[in-house]
Amino acid sequence: MKTRSMKRRLVAAGAAAVMTASILATTATQAAAEADNDDKNSLLVAAGQEVDTFNPFKSRFIITYNTNLMTYDTLVRASAVDYEPEPGLATDWDESDDGLTWTFSIREGVEWSDGEPLTAHDVAYTYQLLIEDEGVRSWNIDFAGNLASAEAPDDTTFVLTLNQPAPAEVLNSGTYIVPKHIWENYDDPADDNINDELPLVGSGPFQVSEYRTDEFIRLEANENYWDGAPGFDEVVYVYYNEPDAAVAALETGEVDIVNNLNPAQAAALEGQDGITVNNAQNRRWVSLVLNHGARTADGDSYGDGHPALQDQAVRQALHHAIDKEVLVETVLDGNGDPGVGIVPRIFENFHWDGGDELVQFDLDEANRILDEAGYELGDDGIRTMPDGDEELSFRFYHHADSTDYATVVQFVTEWWAEIGVEALPEPIEQGSLNDLVYLGEYDVSFSGWGVGPNPTSILGQHTCDVLPETTDGSERSHENFFCNEDYDQLHRAQQVESDPDVRADLIHQQQRILYEEAPVIWLYYQNVVEAYNSDKISGMTLQPSENGMITGQQGFLWAYHSATPTGETAGDGTSTGVLVAIGAAILVVIAGGAFYLLRRRSTADERE
């Protein structure tokens, strides 16, 4: 591998980043100043991802996953201690002997944020949307497909009937309960553009009250929240296109919480007065998706993926030519683990470790696979298809705002070059990149998802049932067009399996199939590395309780609900912050030095 040339390119990229950070710090600081409300105790969280939709039945991005968790309640929560189910809107529940009927007692005295009472009829209406509305159902088919009926015999009783027993699905569905008196007025509850009248009406601890594209999202506290009023008056997500600018804003007190820190940023913040850095195991992975053939549920092919990627041998060879250990050590500075399957190590019961089948980094083996499959090496060092002269030259799309991914691309491109595969990197804005993937117009692209303690929904993205009906890229319940009947059979079996050990084995087998067929190559599970203003904030509950995280929580945002202001001044926040931010951004980069330039990473939130 040509390490020296790669270093030179990374140094150049680092220098460019200093200039970019300086410029973007100005814009971000202005946005932060507008977002902050001097009359309120505001919890300011740095963000980098745009809103996909405020429709909670269709949102997929991390940012809207978080705003949904704060705006709406679910019947059952994932506990802060260990992700186990615990009461939410439902105070208790009972499963029938045949496992088909679930009866929930709905908490009394709960109100929507507009003052209307929340009853079991709202719950029944929400679940009926999943059953009866085709648009909502299709987006949530993996869970909704097993629902038979949803009824509210009175204000405090909700009865859910299933087609097949599925206790884990019922208790971990994370269905956001919406107000019937608002939603029954919508012509199409599956429309992306409905539910955009602010403030949103919900029953959670905060409600989205203001949104400015590329500037901020404001969520006001619900003082009447049934589980106690939040400590802060509001949570505000402030946008920073450049992670270094967000770090500088934390140092000057213009923002209170920053996540996805790279090693140099974390090192620069460690030990600073009033700032606490948290490094915790994550529930999220980063992967490469390979376009192995875009198709509809009827089997019609579309898109323009390279035909060689339809060959499992090519995908396996590419997998052998990626050194994940090196990526973890260089890109993440060791803050993570090499990826294997769809369930991260944090959920160890469902995580599959690959065992004896673990693919090793072996360029000779990768070359052998391609040789045997008939991909001959040309004079230009690039292999050609066995049945023609088309070269193995792949478009390699990555998120334009992620220096992490840009660094990964540098490594992978050079490894693949050594097996006769040309990768053509192209940075693309996140939303456009996702559009291309769902249109099947790509060869290789990055992806990343968060996984909950019940992995059914993420596993369901690879079933034949979620293949799109159309070719316009609008149906996005699938990850990248995978369909395997054996996999689907295992999926259906694990959904209704009540024995935890048997279910875990079924889920392991699903992951083994994905690993062997390699429509996706899981690169790594990266830690959450985050920092917050500990002079201003106290009392944030971590999830899980032991060595847990703040910003990547699942099932309920315990940290933001429990956070309380200390009353300390949170930085100067003056207009001179522009200059301070620019200087701090440069210092952050300099502090990392050559180490940082070689191991640079940054914020890149994607779908959740």
Side-chain angles (χ1 to χ4, degrees), residues 218 251 534:
R218 189 187 309 279
E251 292 179 301
S534 43

Side-chain angles (χ1 to χ4, degrees), residues 87-107:
L89 274 183
T91 55
D92 57 72
W93 47 86
D94 179 67
E95 180 185 11
S96 64
D97 290 342
D98 62 6
L100 294 178
T101 304
W102 288 72
T103 304
F104 294 86
S105 298
I106 303 304
R107 195 174 297 276

Side-chain angles (χ1 to χ4, degrees), residues 51-308:
V51 168
D52 51 349
T53 169
F54 284 123
N55 184 335
F57 295 107
K58 297 190 70 177
S59 54
R60 288 288 186 271
F61 285 2
I62 290 174
I63 190 71
T64 41
Y65 176 75
N66 287 336
T67 58
N68 287 339
L69 285 180
M70 287 188 276
T71 300
Y72 304 100
D73 276 307
T74 56
L75 289 179
V76 181
R77 294 171 166 175
S79 84
V81 175
D82 56 5
Y83 298 100
E84 285 297 308
E86 70 170 47
L89 274 183
T91 55
D92 57 72
W93 47 86
D94 179 67
E95 180 185 11
S96 64
D97 290 342
D98 62 6
L100 294 178
T101 304
W102 288 72
T103 304
F104 294 86
S105 298
I106 303 304
R107 195 174 297 276
E108 296 185 54
V110 177
E111 292 184 348
W112 294 105
S113 54
D114 62 358
E116 293 292 318
L118 187 157
T119 71
H121 300 286
D122 293 294
V123 181
Y125 171 80
T126 300
Y127 278 81
Q128 284 165 357
L129 282 179
L130 291 169
I131 297 170
E132 299 171 0
D133 186 278
E134 187 56 37
V136 172
R137 181 182 175 85
S138 65
W139 268 79
N140 300 273
I141 188 63
D142 207 50
F143 174 63
N146 191 33
L147 304 182
S149 66
E151 299 173 336
D154 56 53
D155 284 352
T156 59
T157 305
F158 169 60
V159 180
L160 181 66
T161 305
L162 311 178
N163 295 315
Q164 297 184 73
E169 306 309 303
V170 172
L171 297 178
N172 296 280
S173 74
T175 299
Y176 304 112
I177 306 303
V178 299
K180 178 182 177 182
H181 66 282
I182 299 292
W183 280 73
E184 65 184 358
N185 296 317
Y186 295 152
D187 292 334
D188 180 7
D191 189 329
D192 285 351
N193 298 317
I194 61 153
N195 202 43
D196 57 359
E197 184 175 341
L198 303 182
L200 298 181
V201 176
S203 64
F206 296 91
Q207 271 73 50
V208 176
S209 60
E210 188 177 6
Y211 170 52
R212 296 188 194 175
T213 304
D214 291 330
E215 294 186 34
F216 60 85
I217 309 172
R218 189 187 309 279
L219 297 98
E220 292 186 0
N222 179 357
E223 298 298 327
N224 299 315
Y225 188 52
W226 60 266
D227 199 19
F232 277 88
D233 297 328
E234 61 182 16
V235 173
V236 184
Y237 286 97
V238 184
Y239 280 89
Y240 293 89
N241 291 327
E242 168 54 50
D244 290 333
V247 172
L250 177 65
E251 292 179 301
T252 61
E254 292 170 350
V255 72
D256 304 319
I257 299 176
V258 176
N259 68 357
N260 291 334
L261 298 174
N262 67 42
Q265 291 166 340
L269 293 172
E270 285 278 7
Q272 287 197 30
D273 290 341
I275 293 178
T276 297
V277 176
N278 186 47
N279 186 334
Q281 189 178 26
N282 204 346
R283 58 179 186 83
R284 185 167 177 266
W285 44 255
V286 170
S287 68
L288 296 181
V289 290
L290 310 179
N291 189 349
H292 58 98
R295 54 178 162 169
T296 67
D298 292 332
D300 296 330
S301 299
Y302 65 100
D304 61 3
H306 197 293

